[in-house]
Amino acid sequence: MDLDFTPEEQAFREEARRWLEAHVPAPGSLASLDTPEGFEEHRRWERTMYDDRWSVVNWPAALGGRDASIVEWLVFAEEYYRVQAPKRVSQNGIFLLAPTLFEHGTNEQKARYLPPMASADEIWCQGWSEPDAGSDLAGIRSRARRDAGGWVLDGQKTWCSRGAFAEWCFAIFRSDPEAERHRGLTYFLVPMDAPGVTVRPIPQLDGETGFAEVFFEGVRVPDDQVLGGVGEGWRVAMSTAGSERGLNLRSPARYTEAAGRLLDRYVGRLAEGGEAAEAATALADRVARAYVDAEAYRLHTYWTASAVAEGQAVGAEASCNKIFWSETDLAIHGLALALGGTGSELLEPGPDGGSRPGEWLDGYLFALAGPIYAGTNEIQRNVVAERLLGLPRG
Amino acid sequence: MDLDFTPEEQAFREEARRWLEAHVPAPGSLASLDTPEGFEEHRRWERTMYDDRWSVVNWPAALGGRDASIVEWLVFAEEYYRVQAPKRVSQNGIFLLAPTLFEHGTNEQKARYLPPMASADEIWCQGWSEPDAGSDLAGIRSRARRDAGGWVLDGQKTWCSRGAFAEWCFAIFRSDPEAERHRGLTYFLVPMDAPGVTVRPIPQLDGETGFAEVFFEGVRVPDDQVLGGVGEGWRVAMSTAGSERGLNLRSPARYTEAAGRLLDRYVGRLAEGGEAAEAATALADRVARAYVDAEAYRLHTYWTASAVAEGQAVGAEASCNKIFWSETDLAIHGLALALGGTGSELLEPGPDGGSRPGEWLDGYLFALAGPIYAGTNEIQRNVVAERLLGLPRG
Amino acid sequence: MRFAFTEQQLELRGAVRQVLASECTPADLRALHERPPEPAAGPALGRADPGRTSARWAVLAELGAPGLLAPEAHGGLGLDEVDLTGVLEEAGRVALPEPLGESAGLVVPALAGLLELPGAGADAGADPGKVARWLGAVAHGEAVATVGGVEVGRAGPVLTTAPLDPDAQLPDAVPCRTPRVVASDRADVALLVAPGAGGGLEVHLVEAAAARRLPTPSIDGPRRPGEWEWVPSPETRLASGGAAAVLVGSLVDRGALVAASQLLGLADRMIAMAAAYAVDRKQFGRPIGSFQAVKHLLADARVRLEFARPATYRAAESIARGRPGRAAHAAMAKALASDAADLAARVALQVHGAIGYTWECDLHLFMKHTWALSASWGDAVTQRARVLAEALAGRSG
Amino acid sequence: MRFAFTEQQLELRGAVRQVLASECTPADLRALHERPPEPAAGPALGRADPGRTSARWAVLAELGAPGLLAPEAHGGLGLDEVDLTGVLEEAGRVALPEPLGESAGLVVPALAGLLELPGAGADAGADPGKVARWLGAVAHGEAVATVGGVEVGRAGPVLTTAPLDPDAQLPDAVPCRTPRVVASDRADVALLVAPGAGGGLEVHLVEAAAARRLPTPSIDGPRRPGEWEWVPSPETRLASGGAAAVLVGSLVDRGALVAASQLLGLADRMIAMAAAYAVDRKQFGRPIGSFQAVKHLLADARVRLEFARPATYRAAESIARGRPGRAAHAAMAKALASDAADLAARVALQVHGAIGYTWECDLHLFMKHTWALSASWGDAVTQRARVLAEALAGRSG
């Protein structure tokens, strides 16, 4: 056990830091990525990263990456969040689809899809949920029909993040209507400009349009847009689900960075003295706990990373991750709002005017969704109980 | 709405206070009621109360009570806890069985059983749970067989509080082995010295013997020891269950008194200054919340009492009560231990030496059982969700 | 001891509930909501739909709601805070955007109190005729009144009004700024607390026309908080010195009660919405409401609400009777109601899942109002600190 | 960066686990438990079953556990705190009543450290020969060592040793009292912290025979806490002044680590017991473990444990390397482990229901040890305050 970064890891960190400091846009200077302008601004930022091979550091160099180790990937994320760099508009592709493509894709598919994903020339959205199948993938009803030279897709997907603007969609359809629940599903790669695809953006409670409904009416796709074998959709999807719930998507840097800003906000209140300081003091133990939990999440991630680096598989522990980071995120952002104090209308810049107005509230709204997406925490608890503790299915 | 006590209620309070102050044993001076000596000491205290008509204030005067209103009953409990009077060894009888007897008993049964219950000449234990039927009364297997002039009881009951020393047991047996679950149960009154009754005390984790297993082997009881009709046991029992979960058993005074002592302990730590004061300050918000919850429970009880006084029935709201008081009790006692601070071996007298050593720990152990007995809180939550919120049974 | 509403109280409340069910629908609220404005360029005031707002206010006025606490001599119903708390619970149930709590629960009793205490008027030099005119207008629902300049701190009222020029000599003729005045665009008049000479407090009655009003970005758009710039003067002054201190103390307690009452209604509404959704929505082949995890989430929210109610009604009775414990009782009510409503919001969102996160689902209309009210007039932590301080003083004293 | 145990570390831990599974059974623990004594008349010391205790200690000594951190030259294994933390997790899993944490985790590194720093010995005048003798004896398992006189406070170590006569002049030849020394009846020697001259600290090595030992009532009987009355003298003194302050700072961090490690094992054991019970026990016609409420209780406990583990291992690595952050890391580990184990205890009891409340069910043996360890060496709230203070200093510094 050695928690020192190696000289190579250290050098990697320093290179990343120098590059980011030279290139990163000022925090908050890009428009929201859920607007058309903002989407393109974020795409340009991904391109800037890609040009210097920072967009997919853990990919092979041949595909635009740096062959970074998992620890280096974590180091890069720490640096990325440290400078409050923009949200990754390519997130669905590079974090959710790419691991699946690497594992299940043909060589042709990898060559076709990965490079434009890395350069953000093609941005992906996810088509899994349906109105009647939220956390329950087995309830998928959208259908794929065999047809000469390919497939015809019909149905409706919902909660597709980035769906309003993305070029491609990775989606699951029922290819065998006779098969039960988890069987008979197939994983497809579908261009959003294919005839028969209609997108309806879904406004969120904060007025943004982070996700969309996508309708498929007789959409034709050739065989080479099936990922991982006909009828294998469930198994293929679950490897991506593991990514979403586990290590890849949820860099601990996001939480440790937010926890650090929470401490700053707390100190700011203490420094005001009087009422503000006393009110902050009353929250001291909860602030400390949120900070400790963010640290615990970071350590747990490095622990898992070491195990993965040594070839161990991450199993149902990923469900523990999901529960823990989503609750930690809520605690951090809820406390930051509570530190705003009585009478706050929640969107105002706080007395620590340095943070953007509404920034904590945005984070809180996002955090509120945490226990819901990527498999609700209720389902994750079932997974933990059944797979890690051996309790019977109910 | 008028929260002033009436002059009559006020006078009742003052009379109770004067009497209690003149007669109550010093706090902690009686041996534990789960020892043979302590049981008799507590019986004598009940007798002392009975002699001056304070043992069952809400009963009719003809039976040794004072016809006290429900509000007066609450007032009496406040005074009783205020002087930290002994635990009620007659509790199972007067709080759980008596309401059922009043509702379902024949006149002969009332005349036979209520007076010695009030005077504590006969102390009752409850025989409901079985090894394979804890919170699930419908799973009861102990059997009652029809026999010339009465019934023959066979089976095993467990978790009978006071079972080691009580004179009588009220118990539920399956009288119709063909009937399903809730049907075919009958409610019996059984003397503990009847031939065929064997008692095995169950030591608790604190070394006391608060409850017992009771074995029935061919125990004969006459027909007039059936309470409320053959096959009606479930319905009859549920009216008692309502009492246990609802208003009668759980006087709010128990929690407000403990919350008051918690505040004293908190103030004591503040007064010590330094480390102790800082540690207490870190718990201030949680202490305040426990205090507020105890007050909220008190107010809710008076609210319910007014409704009952006006003839309304208490339904599934009683399940809300159960959840709330058991959690409040745990919070109060857990915080009191936390205020004891680091390194405490939990049984020592604290620096606020006034409280008996181990007193808070005793309370905590008792509180830990709160979410479990009288229908686990899991079951109460189901009741709240299904009966108050209309969610479907699962 | 009788801790229950009267038949008349239940009837009044029922009438308000019935009216609001049709007069204040989610569609009405949605129309008043805007996408949260970019903070740099706030929306112009007046985005409210004044037509619908005035119509709704007129209906409430017809029931006597704004003047519920006003003496009959001034056109009110002469009822008390126990009546009002039930009415405001109904206002909360529909997330009523108009300032009924401020008008009926804070401004009316403040003005009526000033008229009853001639000492207060004398102290401040307020013109009783003017006070009476405004009281009548607000009680009749002809004018909409709001409140500003004070928030609730752990140690008591916290003044939020400040002079634009920090070095200016107070009190008079110095332009001041009061943040977060709700119903900023529809109020005709505001009761504003301001710093007085020598570190004291003053209370002023300021007409909307005499103030420059700027909107404050808020997640709860329909509440329309805004900043008022205004100039304290002898003409606006209602009370100073001891009378002002008493008045502000009363505002703080009443503010907590008014917010707590509405939070009860909000919590009830959100729990009901979530329960209804849980009955309809199926996953894994059965209604999600049949899963124990969903049941227990909702049951816990219901329990917290159940126990916040009597505490709020007790606070109302305490204030109505002027009981010595009213400050602690109001604080306790607000702490319990804030926590209950915050929990209900979180649980309701959790039960709704992704749907609850959308603009189309009604839930956010109630969540946002909950978050705003929960943080107003002392959040739960602040109010618990007040309770604890009072309780400790009570035990040692 | 490699955050994982080595094969050797896993093997050592596995060996300890295997041995303890048979050497420290619930039946063994139950034999050591007594009904909690009436506080007025505590039990006489020596109720421990010395035969079984010595046998178990001998087995542990055979594996090298007590001397794990001692240099090989002094008969130890020369391993580090990362090795030890895994071994202590196994000790926690069986609620080992002997003071392995104190002997191996606190006293051995303290004595070894004194020998390595000649400055420390000179400062205090401790006899290196005597220190080496005791180090060898403890490392070999021939002597059992314990610790006392210091607890963890928010601002640092809190001294608990006090002179019997509060007016006496310290330090030497004045009878002192040290409360809550664990393994009071079976320890041969204790490292005791005491007040020094001028408000400073001193560390003494006191043989059991030289102390009057009185039992302290405890819910965790097998831990055998007791009060030691003893007389500090130049002969007992190990360190004073700066050396003592460093030594005590190290004790506080190591105490937190030692307790955290054991709490991980305890939590794991209680969760496993509850899960096994939930599979077996049927209610309403199905195993209670198939109910979502039970699943989610246990899942939450498992999650908190999962995240307490790496934090504890990091603290071990930090102490082993003497990293500057080790105090904060140990505090964080203890806070997480205490909370995880407290939650596991509560959940396990809830899942067991009434059975868990009985003497016959093994659960209480582990709950009681959990409560004692959770409150020792800084409870979660205290340790979080330490973390917060360090973190704030780090951010402003």
Side-chain angles (χ1 to χ4, degrees):
Chain A
M1 192 172 291
D2 180 0
L3 297 187
D4 282 325
F5 290 101
T6 63
E8 294 73 30
E9 289 160 351
Q10 198 55 41
F12 180 86
R13 180 189 295 278
E14 278 152 26
E15 192 186 348
R17 180 174 298 189
R18 275 196 307 274
W19 186 87
L20 283 166
E21 282 173 356
H23 294 84
V24 74
S29 63
L30 304 194
S32 160
L33 55 68
D34 292 323
T35 60
E37 324 79 73
F39 192 83
E40 292 309 319
E41 288 174 27
H42 281 76
R43 192 200 294 271
R44 280 194 290 280
W45 162 244
E46 295 278 342
R47 180 77 203 198
T48 304
M49 286 204 286
Y50 174 75
D51 288 343
D52 289 337
R53 292 192 302 122
W54 291 109
S55 71
V56 285
V57 293
N58 55 332
W59 288 19
L63 291 166
R66 290 171 174 253
D67 292 303
S69 70
I70 187 163
V71 166
E72 286 168 340
W73 181 82
L74 290 170
V75 163
F76 177 74
E78 284 177 4
E79 295 302 318
Y80 195 84
Y81 279 96
R82 202 182 65 83
V83 296
Q84 299 190 41
K87 285 189 188 162
R88 302 294 306 265
V89 70
S90 296
Q91 171 180 302
N92 290 315
I94 61 180
F95 294 145
L96 302 185
L97 174 57
T100 317
L101 264 171
F102 278 114
E103 195 176 334
H104 300 282
T106 63
N107 286 337
E108 291 71 24
Q109 286 175 325
K110 290 179 201 170
R112 163 64 189 86
Y113 296 112
L114 288 169
M117 182 191 298
S119 64
D121 288 325
E122 292 178 355
I123 290 175
W124 290 77
C125 67
Q126 187 190 46
W128 285 13
S129 293
E130 297 185 2
D132 291 314
S135 288
D136 178 18
L137 281 192
I140 279 177
R141 293 189 192 168
S142 294
R143 287 193 313 126
R145 244 179 327 111
R146 240 317 152 219
D147 195 39
W151 298 83
V152 178
L153 309 179
D154 284 285
Q156 179 186 354
K157 295 290 179 178
T158 191
W159 315 129
C160 309
S161 306
R162 312 288 98 78
F165 311 112
E167 278 85 17
W168 281 82
C169 179
F170 54 100
I172 302 171
F173 289 79
R174 183 165 298 283
S175 51
D176 179 355
E178 307 295 307
E180 284 212 5
R181 295 184 52 79
H182 293 145
R183 300 201 191 86
L185 298 174
T186 297
Y187 196 123
F188 287 94
L189 308 175
V190 190
M192 295 291 277
D193 60 1
V197 174
T198 315
V199 175
R200 191 179 74 89
I202 305 176
Q204 289 173 188
L205 55 74
D206 58 1
E208 308 250 331
T209 45
F211 30 54
E213 285 181 299
V214 182
F215 299 87
F216 299 82
E217 290 174 283
V219 177
R220 293 183 166 275
V221 292
D223 278 330
D224 60 6
Q225 284 167 217
V226 168
L227 182 57
V230 173
E232 294 291 321
W234 168 259
R235 195 174 57 83
V236 174
M238 281 304 99
S239 64
T240 310
S243 303
E244 188 180 4
R245 288 171 198 165
L247 199 60
N248 279 350
L249 180 60
R250 292 294 147 193
S251 156
R254 172 166 159 213
Y255 310 107
T256 51
E257 194 272 333
R261 281 187 293 119
L262 176 66
L263 291 192
D264 291 342
R265 193 166 162 95
Y266 174 76
V267 170
R269 290 292 181 281
L270 287 189
E272 283 176 53
E275 177 69 24
E278 274 195 58
T281 303
L283 297 171
D285 186 54
R286 289 163 60 193
V287 168
R289 188 173 151 129
Y291 172 77
V292 166
D293 281 355
E295 267 291 290
Y297 183 69
R298 185 175 75 78
L299 293 165
H300 188 268
T301 307
Y302 276 103
W303 178 257
T304 311
S306 284
V308 170
E310 295 185 5
Q312 293 176 41
V314 178
E317 287 82 4
S319 291
C320 291
N321 268 14
K322 167 73 208 299
I323 296 166
F324 198 84
W325 65 246
S326 58
E327 290 184 351
T328 301
D329 204 28
L330 255 178
I332 292 171
H333 288 88
L335 281 167
L337 291 182
L339 282 170
T342 184
S344 148
E345 282 294 319
L346 303 168
L347 277 185
E348 282 191 298
D352 56 343
S355 58
R356 281 175 295 126
E359 186 182 9
W360 283 112
L361 183 70
D362 281 356
Y364 182 67
L365 292 177
F366 190 61
L368 277 175
I372 296 165
Y373 69 90
T376 69
N377 283 9
E378 281 70 36
I379 293 183
Q380 306 304 336
R381 289 192 176 90
N382 290 347
V383 172
V384 172
E386 289 163 17
R387 291 173 52 194
L388 295 181
L389 299 174
L391 298 188
R393 300 180 66 94
Chain B
M1 192 172 293
D2 180 2
L3 297 186
D4 281 326
F5 290 101
T6 62
E8 294 74 28
E9 288 160 352
Q10 198 55 43
F12 180 86
R13 181 190 293 280
E14 277 152 27
E15 191 185 349
R17 181 174 297 190
R18 275 196 307 276
W19 186 87
L20 283 166
E21 282 173 355
H23 293 83
V24 74
S29 63
L30 304 195
S32 160
L33 56 66
D34 292 322
T35 61
E37 323 79 71
F39 193 82
E40 292 309 318
E41 288 174 27
H42 281 77
R43 193 202 294 272
R44 280 195 290 279
W45 161 243
E46 295 279 342
R47 180 77 204 197
T48 304
M49 287 204 286
Y50 174 75
D51 287 343
D52 288 337
R53 291 193 303 122
W54 290 109
S55 72
V56 285
V57 292
N58 55 334
W59 288 18
L63 290 167
R66 289 172 175 254
D67 292 303
S69 71
I70 187 163
V71 167
E72 285 168 339
W73 181 81
L74 290 170
V75 163
F76 177 73
E78 284 176 4
E79 294 303 317
Y80 195 84
Y81 280 96
R82 202 182 65 83
V83 296
Q84 299 189 44
K87 285 190 189 159
R88 301 293 306 262
V89 70
S90 295
Q91 169 180 304
N92 290 314
I94 61 180
F95 295 145
L96 303 185
L97 173 58
T100 317
L101 263 171
F102 278 114
E103 195 176 334
H104 301 281
T106 63
N107 286 338
E108 291 70 26
Q109 286 175 326
K110 290 178 200 169
R112 163 64 188 87
Y113 296 112
L114 288 169
M117 184 192 295
S119 64
D121 286 327
E122 291 178 356
I123 291 175
W124 290 77
C125 67
Q126 188 190 46
W128 285 14
S129 293
E130 296 185 2
D132 291 315
S135 289
D136 178 18
L137 281 192
I140 280 177
R141 294 189 191 168
S142 293
R143 288 193 310 127
R145 244 180 327 111
R146 221 35 211 98
D147 195 39
W151 297 82
V152 179
L153 309 179
D154 283 285
Q156 179 184 355
K157 296 289 180 179
T158 191
W159 315 129
C160 308
S161 305
R162 313 287 98 79
F165 310 111
E167 277 85 16
W168 282 82
C169 180
F170 54 100
I172 301 171
F173 289 79
R174 185 164 295 284
S175 50
D176 178 355
E178 306 296 307
E180 281 213 6
R181 295 184 53 78
H182 293 147
R183 300 201 192 87
L185 299 174
T186 298
Y187 197 124
F188 287 94
L189 308 175
V190 190
M192 296 290 276
D193 61 0
V197 174
T198 315
V199 175
R200 190 179 74 88
I202 305 176
Q204 290 172 186
L205 53 72
D206 58 1
E208 308 250 330
T209 45
F211 30 54
E213 285 181 299
V214 182
F215 299 87
F216 299 82
E217 289 174 284
V219 177
R220 295 184 165 274
V221 292
D223 278 331
D224 60 5
Q225 284 167 216
V226 168
L227 181 57
V230 173
E232 295 291 321
W234 169 260
R235 196 174 56 82
V236 174
M238 281 304 98
S239 64
T240 308
S243 304
E244 188 181 3
R245 287 170 200 169
L247 199 62
N248 278 351
L249 180 60
R250 291 296 146 193
S251 156
R254 172 166 158 211
Y255 309 107
T256 50
E257 194 270 334
R261 280 188 294 120
L262 176 65
L263 291 193
D264 292 342
R265 192 167 164 96
Y266 174 77
V267 170
R269 290 293 181 281
L270 287 189
E272 282 176 53
E275 177 69 25
E278 275 195 57
T281 303
L283 296 172
D285 186 53
R286 289 164 61 194
V287 168
R289 187 174 152 131
Y291 172 76
V292 166
D293 282 355
E295 267 292 290
Y297 183 70
R298 185 176 74 81
L299 292 166
H300 188 268
T301 306
Y302 276 103
W303 177 257
T304 310
S306 284
V308 169
E310 295 184 6
Q312 294 175 40
V314 179
E317 288 81 4
S319 290
C320 291
N321 269 13
K322 167 73 207 297
I323 296 165
F324 198 83
W325 66 245
S326 58
E327 290 184 351
T328 301
D329 204 29
L330 255 178
I332 292 171
H333 288 88
L335 281 166
L337 290 182
L339 282 170
T342 184
S344 147
E345 284 293 320
L346 303 168
L347 277 185
E348 281 192 298
D352 56 342
S355 56
R356 282 175 295 125
E359 185 183 8
W360 283 112
L361 182 69
D362 282 356
Y364 182 67
L365 293 176
F366 190 60
L368 277 175
I372 296 165
Y373 68 92
T376 69
N377 283 8
E378 282 69 36
I379 292 181
Q380 307 303 336
R381 290 192 175 91
N382 290 348
V383 171
V384 171
E386 289 163 15
R387 291 173 53 193
L388 296 182
L389 299 174
L391 298 188
R393 300 180 65 95
Chain C
M1 153 80 61
R2 183 181 180 278
F3 193 13
F5 288 111
T6 61
E7 281 302 319
Q8 293 90 317
Q9 283 164 341
L10 294 174
E11 273 166 30
L12 171 64
R13 178 183 176 144
V16 170
R17 180 169 183 162
Q18 198 178 355
V19 157
L20 289 178
S22 57
E23 292 297 320
C24 188
T25 66
D28 293 328
L29 294 173
R30 191 171 274 108
L32 288 174
H33 258 287
E34 303 285 337
R35 181 188 148 126
E38 294 300 316
L45 272 172
R47 271 195 184 180
D49 168 357
R52 186 82 177 116
T53 278
S54 340
R56 190 157 48 227
W57 197 254
V59 172
L60 286 169
E62 218 166 280
L63 288 170
L68 200 144
L69 296 185
E72 294 180 43
H74 291 276
L77 298 183
L79 298 178
D80 75 8
E81 288 76 3
V82 175
D83 301 86
L84 182 66
T85 202
V87 168
L88 289 176
E89 206 171 327
E90 298 309 323
R93 188 185 308 281
V94 297
L96 183 76
E98 286 80 23
L100 184 62
E102 287 76 7
S103 283
L106 300 175
V107 177
V108 161
L111 298 182
L114 282 172
L115 286 180
E116 280 168 22
L117 290 173
D123 180 26
D127 168 10
K130 181 183 157 197
V131 172
R133 268 199 314 283
W134 276 111
L135 174 56
V138 176
H140 281 108
E142 289 152 14
V144 173
T146 185
V147 174
V150 64
E151 284 171 2
V152 180
R154 301 160 68 85
V158 174
L159 191 65
T160 62
T161 302
L164 291 184
D165 170 4
D167 299 326
Q169 283 300 309
L170 291 169
D172 286 341
V174 168
C176 281
R177 175 190 286 137
T178 303
R180 292 186 290 277
V181 180
V182 302
S184 206
D185 60 346
R186 56 174 76 101
D188 301 294
V189 68
L191 198 71
L192 299 179
V193 182
L201 297 175
E202 295 191 342
V203 180
H204 293 258
L205 193 68
V206 181
E207 297 180 30
R212 184 163 167 252
R213 293 171 291 151
L214 300 164
T216 305
S218 169
I219 192 166
D220 187 24
R223 247 164 73 93
R224 296 286 190 273
E227 187 174 286
W228 285 35
E229 281 179 29
W230 58 287
V231 182
S233 74
E235 287 69 44
T236 60
R237 183 173 298 114
L238 277 189
S240 60
V246 169
L247 188 48
V248 171
S250 164
L251 281 178
V252 161
D253 297 343
R254 290 169 181 278
L257 172 64
V258 153
S261 306
Q262 293 174 77
L263 286 163
L264 297 182
L266 282 159
D268 205 23
R269 177 70 170 263
M270 292 185 288
I271 292 170
M273 291 176 72
Y277 183 78
V279 168
D280 284 350
R281 169 77 172 165
K282 289 193 177 56
Q283 288 255 294
F284 303 98
R286 38 195 268 225
I288 61 170
S290 70
F291 289 102
Q292 239 182 3
V294 171
K295 280 186 191 177
H296 289 192
L297 279 175
L298 283 168
D300 280 334
R302 178 66 165 73
V303 167
R304 292 305 307 181
L305 171 59
E306 178 81 15
F307 283 84
R309 276 200 179 111
T312 304
Y313 305 150
R314 190 268 296 261
E317 198 259 11
S318 261
I319 290 176
R321 304 270 175 136
R323 296 192 189 275
R326 63 189 181 277
H329 298 168
M332 211 180 276
K334 180 60 168 50
L336 287 160
S338 288
D339 274 354
D342 283 342
L343 180 65
R346 192 175 157 176
V347 162
L349 181 63
Q350 189 100 352
V351 169
H352 275 82
I355 291 274
Y357 209 70
T358 64
W359 186 264
E360 288 167 82
C361 175
D362 294 338
L363 181 63
H364 73 97
L365 305 168
F366 301 92
M367 285 201 299
K368 289 169 178 174
H369 200 44
T370 297
W371 292 333
L373 282 180
S374 168
S376 298
W377 296 106
D379 63 13
V381 174
T382 302
Q383 293 288 18
R384 276 197 293 270
R386 284 164 53 85
V387 173
L388 187 62
E390 291 272 347
L392 296 183
R395 289 188 83 79
S396 67
Chain D
M1 153 81 61
R2 183 181 180 278
F3 193 13
F5 289 111
T6 61
E7 282 301 319
Q8 294 90 319
Q9 283 164 341
L10 295 173
E11 273 166 30
L12 171 63
R13 177 183 177 145
V16 170
R17 180 169 184 162
Q18 198 179 354
V19 158
L20 288 178
S22 56
E23 291 298 320
C24 189
T25 66
D28 292 327
L29 295 173
R30 191 171 274 110
L32 288 173
H33 259 286
E34 303 287 335
R35 183 190 147 126
E38 293 302 317
L45 274 170
R47 270 195 185 180
D49 169 356
R52 184 82 175 115
T53 277
S54 339
R56 190 157 46 226
W57 197 254
V59 172
L60 286 168
E62 217 165 282
L63 289 168
L68 200 144
L69 296 184
E72 295 179 44
H74 290 277
L77 297 183
L79 298 178
D80 73 9
E81 286 76 2
V82 176
D83 301 86
L84 182 66
T85 202
V87 168
L88 288 177
E89 207 171 327
E90 298 308 324
R93 189 185 308 282
V94 298
L96 183 75
E98 287 80 24
L100 185 61
E102 287 76 6
S103 284
L106 301 175
V107 177
V108 160
L111 297 182
L114 283 171
L115 286 180
E116 281 168 21
L117 291 172
D123 181 27
D127 167 10
K130 181 185 158 196
V131 172
R133 268 197 314 282
W134 275 112
L135 174 56
V138 176
H140 281 106
E142 289 153 12
V144 173
T146 186
V147 174
V150 65
E151 284 170 4
V152 180
R154 301 160 68 87
V158 173
L159 192 63
T160 61
T161 302
L164 291 186
D165 170 4
D167 299 325
Q169 282 300 308
L170 291 168
D172 286 341
V174 169
C176 281
R177 174 191 287 136
T178 302
R180 292 186 290 275
V181 180
V182 302
S184 207
D185 59 345
R186 55 174 77 102
D188 301 295
V189 68
L191 198 70
L192 298 180
V193 182
L201 298 175
E202 296 191 342
V203 181
H204 293 257
L205 193 67
V206 181
E207 297 181 31
R212 186 165 165 249
R213 295 170 290 151
L214 301 164
T216 304
S218 168
I219 193 167
D220 187 25
R223 249 165 69 95
R224 296 283 189 277
E227 187 174 285
W228 285 36
E229 281 180 28
W230 58 288
V231 183
S233 74
E235 287 69 45
T236 61
R237 184 173 298 114
L238 277 188
S240 59
V246 169
L247 187 48
V248 172
S250 164
L251 281 178
V252 161
D253 297 342
R254 290 171 181 277
L257 172 63
V258 153
S261 306
Q262 293 173 77
L263 285 163
L264 297 181
L266 282 159
D268 205 24
R269 176 71 170 263
M270 292 186 288
I271 292 170
M273 290 175 73
Y277 182 77
V279 169
D280 283 350
R281 169 75 172 167
K282 289 192 177 59
Q283 288 256 294
F284 303 99
R286 37 196 270 225
I288 61 170
S290 68
F291 289 102
Q292 239 182 2
V294 170
K295 280 185 191 176
H296 289 192
L297 279 174
L298 282 168
D300 280 333
R302 178 67 165 74
V303 168
R304 293 303 309 179
L305 171 59
E306 179 81 16
F307 283 83
R309 276 202 179 108
T312 304
Y313 305 150
R314 190 267 297 262
E317 198 259 11
S318 260
I319 290 176
R321 303 270 175 137
R323 296 192 188 274
R326 62 189 180 278
H329 299 168
M332 210 180 277
K334 180 60 168 50
L336 286 160
S338 288
D339 274 354
D342 283 343
L343 180 66
R346 192 174 156 178
V347 162
L349 182 62
Q350 189 101 353
V351 169
H352 275 80
I355 290 275
Y357 209 71
T358 65
W359 186 263
E360 286 166 84
C361 175
D362 294 339
L363 181 62
H364 73 97
L365 305 167
F366 301 92
M367 286 201 300
K368 289 169 178 174
H369 200 43
T370 297
W371 293 333
L373 282 179
S374 169
S376 299
W377 296 106
D379 63 15
V381 174
T382 301
Q383 293 288 18
R384 276 196 293 269
R386 284 164 53 86
V387 173
L388 187 62
E390 291 271 345
L392 296 183
R395 288 188 85 78
S396 67

